[in-house]
Amino acid sequence: QQQVKQSPQSLIVQKGGISIINCAYENTAFDYFPWYQQFPGKGPALLIAIRPDVSEKKEGRFTISFNKSAKQFSLHIMDSQPGDSATYFCAASNSGNTGKLIFGQGTTLQVKP
Amino acid sequence: DTGVSQDPRHKITKRGQNVTFRCDPISEHNRLYWYRQTLGQGPEFLTYFQNEAQLEKSRLLSDRFSAERPKGSFSTLEIQRTEQGDSAMYLCASSFETAGAFFGQGTRLTVV
């Protein structure tokens, strides 16, 4: 019940295209859903996050869509750029408890010029 | 504020040796976490501090691992009698209450 399942494992997108990464969770106590971007040899960087009281959040080219009834959320990267090539992790936590993050398995994104 | 700082960035040690990592969180962040990440995997939770109190430890954290956060400021993670299976990236993260967690650059441990 603590798992967060992420797909796809890898994704190749042309420059200017839309990248879509999906995650699903089981634990209904989760109330905070962040996405992290990680480059090789670096720590994860917080990209965007959402809470269950909204269905969508947009920050620049990055959008999270959240479906509470399906227990699913997704990251959309619009106008994907080669600099977006990285590994993306979704995560979930019960922020009112310890706030520890349960991470998905990661998606390696390659944006071709 | 320069973010979460971890030291050292890289550590190579011989099997059986003890190692200690340090994490300096973002100032005024009361929550501090340690995670471990192996190649191709997402970070896995190890332990959590609320101020100076260690409130949760994962079952991944064997008796050889110990963490402290004296006075609720910096934190240290010590691994005793290192094993090859301890080779991983050790990540520290901090947050203020229920806000987002920010990660450091990690300490890459290699046990030879």
Side-chain angles (χ1 to χ4, degrees):
Chain A
Q1 205 182 24
Q2 286 290 322
Q3 282 188 326
V4 175
K5 294 183 180 179
Q6 183 173 345
S7 64
Q9 187 174 0
S10 62
L11 183 60
I12 300 175
V13 172
Q14 290 295 127
K15 179 182 175 182
I18 302 173
S19 304
I20 301 174
I21 306 171
N22 302 297
C23 282
Y25 64 97
E26 293 288 331
N27 190 343
T28 55
F30 289 152
D31 66 352
Y32 177 71
F33 304 89
W35 285 89
Y36 284 85
Q37 179 188 58
Q38 187 175 31
F39 293 103
K42 305 293 186 182
L46 180 60
L47 200 56
I48 186 172
I50 197 167
R51 295 188 187 272
D53 52 343
V54 296
S55 60
E56 187 174 281
K57 183 174 181 180
K58 183 176 180 179
E59 289 185 1
R61 297 185 293 110
F62 301 92
T63 300
I64 298 180
S65 297
F66 185 81
N67 185 328
K68 187 175 181 178
S69 60
K71 290 185 284 186
Q72 294 176 349
F73 58 110
S74 60
L75 175 69
H76 296 234
I77 305 174
M78 312 300 287
D79 186 26
S80 298
Q81 299 297 313
D84 297 331
S85 298
T87 300
Y88 292 81
F89 292 97
C90 63
S93 74
N94 180 343
S95 64
N97 192 356
T98 65
K100 70 180 180 186
L101 293 165
I102 308 300
F103 282 85
Q105 297 88 340
T107 296
T108 301
L109 171 66
Q110 182 184 358
V111 180
K112 290 194 168 182
Chain B
D1 195 339
T2 56
V4 178
S5 177
Q6 291 189 245
D7 183 71
R9 291 292 311 279
H10 304 276
K11 179 71 176 179
I12 300 174
T13 191
K14 291 183 178 179
R15 189 175 54 186
Q17 296 295 305
N18 299 344
V19 294
T20 300
F21 310 141
R22 177 181 171 118
C23 171
D24 287 272
I26 294 171
S27 59
E28 299 180 355
H29 277 194
N30 57 340
R31 292 183 167 190
L32 186 145
Y33 307 85
W34 285 97
Y35 292 83
R36 181 169 66 190
Q37 185 177 29
T38 53
L39 203 61
Q41 301 296 316
E44 293 179 296
F45 169 78
L46 291 179
T47 191
Y48 161 65
F49 288 86
Q50 172 94 7
N51 298 310
E52 69 277 6
Q54 186 175 22
L55 298 184
E56 185 171 346
K57 292 193 291 186
S58 165
R59 55 185 169 79
L60 292 176
L61 212 65
S62 76
D63 291 344
R64 297 184 296 105
F65 288 71
S66 63
E68 294 183 336
R69 192 185 182 194
K71 302 179 182 178
S73 56
F74 70 93
S75 177
T76 58
L77 177 69
E78 181 183 16
I79 309 174
Q80 295 182 327
R81 305 180 303 282
T82 52
E83 302 172 356
Q84 286 191 323
D86 297 331
S87 295
M89 175 81 89
Y90 289 84
L91 294 161
C92 176
S94 71
S95 71
F96 180 72
E97 295 297 341
T98 60
F102 294 88
F103 282 80
Q105 295 303 301
T107 294
R108 168 70 66 186
L109 173 66
T110 302
V111 181
V112 297

